[in-house]
């Protein structure tokens, strides 16, 4: 089968290449899935350089999440049949993937393969951030930084379903126009030139109750200046490239909390809650209350273009690789 293989860790994806490798055979309890779509996530890019906390041994096939159809089943598998459309994760940028059959989830019928592949990681992060960590309540003001990116847009979408008042923020007016058209947040906010005073004005001088920040850097620094007393500042990541720091006196004086969000680790630490989180986001998808956005679908041979869409911040939602094309 064809697969994108990381053979060495290097900048500019220099250690990556599409190779012919053995098609895996399912062992007991496993399923082999023909991958129809695989979403590109920021950690995928970091892993090609060895800059992500999870560092698989070389060589490896990257890709966190996929959707596809079951092509073969190992001994002892029940509940699944050949041809079933499913979603799963790991080694996504390839024509086939193996997965424990128990880890698979049925693809929602209302979703395309691309939408299903683009859903799980982003919406799980948003759910853990808003529901588990921030304990968001309907009617609270939520400021979403990087609102046009994969996790940011998922947060905008989920927050609407949860009844929050959403300020979708971005440095791109063009992206905000798409967000406004497709997701109708309460406010879209162009942050060029600063946003602290604008957020304060929108919230009656109080500031945002919750700030969702996958950007870091200068955005985090200014977010500290427009968060409400008893607010929750959610640290999702650092796509700006700079990890910010904060003096302990600011949360003390302003009475807010800084909360780290690692959705996968949350589920590993609290397995029962992790299962509840997964069930909750996929139930919302089945009910049609959430709507992931696929920005582009590209064949495996054009993987670099898909990566660059994300790296260059051109994507609105998710870029998806289609190994079947």
């Amino acid at each position: 089968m064809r697969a994108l293989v990381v053979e060495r860790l290097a900048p500019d994806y220099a250690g990556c290449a599409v190779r012919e490798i053995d098609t895996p055979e399912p062992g007991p309890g496993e399923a082999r899935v023909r991958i129809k779509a695989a979403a590109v996530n920021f950690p995928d890019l970091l892993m090609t350089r060895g800059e992500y906390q999870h560092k698989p041994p070389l060589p490896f096939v990257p890709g966190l999440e996929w959707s596809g159809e079951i092509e073969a089943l190992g001994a002892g598998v029940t509940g699944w049949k050949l041809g079933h459309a499913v979603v799963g994760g790991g080694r996504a940028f390839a024509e086939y993937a193996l997965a424990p059959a128990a880890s698979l989830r049925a693809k929602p019928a209302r979703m395309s393969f691309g939408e299903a592949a683009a859903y799980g990681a982003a919406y799980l992060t948003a759910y853990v951030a808003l529901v588990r960590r921030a304990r968001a309540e309907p009617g609270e003001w939520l400021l979403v930084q990087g609102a046009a990116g994969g996790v940011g847009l998922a947060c905008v979408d989920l927050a609407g379903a949860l009844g929050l008042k959403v300020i979708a923020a971005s440095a791109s007016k063009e992206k905000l126009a798409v967000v406004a058209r497709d997701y109708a947040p309460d406010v879209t906010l162009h942050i060029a030139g600063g946003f602290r005073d604008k957020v304060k004005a929108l919230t009656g001088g109080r500031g945002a109750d919750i700030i969702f920040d996958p950007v870091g850097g200068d955005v985090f620094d200014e977010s500290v200046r427009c968060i409400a007393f008893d607010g929750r500042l959610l640290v999702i990541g650092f796509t700006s490239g700079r990890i910010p720091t904060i003096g302990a006196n600011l949360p003390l004086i302003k009475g807010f909390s800084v909360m780290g969000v690692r959705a996968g680790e949350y589920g590993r630490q609290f397995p029962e809650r992790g299962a509840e989180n997964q069930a909750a986001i996929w139930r919302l998808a089945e009910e049609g209350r959430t709507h992931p956005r696929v920005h582009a679908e590209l064949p495996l041979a054009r993987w670099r273009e898909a990566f660059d869409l994300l790296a260059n911040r051109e994507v609105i939602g998710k870029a998806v690789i289609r190994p079947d094309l």
Side-chain angles (χ1 to χ4, degrees), residues 212-284:
F212 181 94
D213 180 20
V215 180
D218 294 345
V219 165
F220 177 93
D221 295 341
E222 191 167 355
S223 293
V224 168
R225 306 295 179 178
C226 61
I227 191 166
F229 193 89
D230 202 30
R232 289 84 85 201
L233 177 48
L234 300 163
V235 179
I236 311 301
F238 314 105
T239 59
S240 69
R242 180 172 70 85
I243 298 175
T245 58
I246 184 172
N249 61 313
L250 287 175
L252 169 65
I253 293 168
K254 294 174 67 66
F256 67 90
S257 300
V258 179
M259 298 179 167
V261 179
R262 290 183 62 197
E265 186 62 24
Y266 188 95
R268 287 185 285 273
Q269 293 288 335
F270 309 110
E272 185 173 336
R273 290 182 224 167
E276 292 170 355
N277 297 341
Q278 291 281 1
I281 63 168
W282 287 102
R283 183 168 57 251
L284 289 167

Side-chain angles (χ1 to χ4, degrees), residues 39-275:
V40 180
N41 292 281
F42 197 65
D44 298 324
L45 278 59
L46 295 177
M47 288 174 68
T48 68
R49 305 191 294 268
E51 296 175 0
Y52 194 60
Q53 52 258 38
H54 174 57
K55 296 177 174 61
L58 295 169
F60 66 89
V61 176
L64 296 179
E65 54 185 343
W66 45 256
S67 64
E69 295 175 338
I70 295 176
E71 192 202 57
L73 294 169
V77 174
T78 59
W80 296 111
K81 294 182 179 179
L82 302 185
H84 274 178
V86 294
V87 291
R91 296 174 60 87
F93 303 140
E95 292 180 305
Y96 298 94
L98 284 185
S103 72
L104 299 176
R105 186 176 295 273
K107 180 183 76 67
R110 66 174 63 244
M111 282 184 166
S112 69
F113 282 102
E115 290 168 337
Y119 187 75
Y123 281 78
L124 181 63
T125 297
Y127 186 89
V128 171
L130 296 180
V131 176
R132 296 298 192 179
R133 300 295 282 136
R135 293 184 169 87
E137 296 288 344
E140 288 192 299
W141 277 106
L142 166 69
L143 171 61
V144 182
Q145 304 287 10
V151 292
L153 196 57
C155 186
V156 170
D157 191 19
L158 178 64
L162 296 176
L164 300 176
K165 292 186 288 189
V166 181
I167 304 170
S170 171
S172 168
K173 291 182 179 179
E174 293 76 17
K175 291 180 180 179
L176 285 175
V178 175
V179 174
R181 182 195 69 203
D182 292 353
Y183 292 91
D186 295 271
V187 181
T188 57
L189 180 61
H190 186 231
I191 66 171
F195 56 87
R196 172 177 63 177
D197 293 340
K198 298 173 185 176
V199 172
K200 287 289 191 71
L202 287 166
T203 58
R206 172 177 166 79
D209 298 296
I210 305 165
I211 299 179
F212 181 94
D213 180 20
V215 180
D218 294 345
V219 165
F220 177 93
D221 295 341
E222 191 167 355
S223 293
V224 168
R225 306 295 179 178
C226 61
I227 191 166
F229 193 89
D230 202 30
R232 289 84 85 201
L233 177 48
L234 300 163
V235 179
I236 311 301
F238 314 105
T239 59
S240 69
R242 180 172 70 85
I243 298 175
T245 58
I246 184 172
N249 61 313
L250 287 175
L252 169 65
I253 293 168
K254 294 174 67 66
F256 67 90
S257 300
V258 179
M259 298 179 167
V261 179
R262 290 183 62 197
E265 186 62 24
Y266 188 95
R268 287 185 285 273
Q269 293 288 335
F270 309 110
E272 185 173 336
R273 290 182 224 167

Side-chain angles (χ1 to χ4, degrees), residues 278-303:
Q278 291 281 1
I281 63 168
W282 287 102
R283 183 168 57 251
L284 289 167
E286 291 278 5
E287 294 169 353
R289 296 174 61 195
T290 48
H291 309 88
R293 185 178 192 277
V294 176
H295 181 88
E297 297 188 4
L298 298 169
L300 183 60
R302 295 169 62 189
W303 63 270

Side-chain angles (χ1 to χ4, degrees), residues 4-9 14-19 48 58-60:
L4 178 64
V5 181
V6 180
E7 299 172 324
R8 61 186 177 91
L9 305 177
C16 304
V18 174
R19 303 294 191 196
T48 68
L58 295 169
F60 66 89

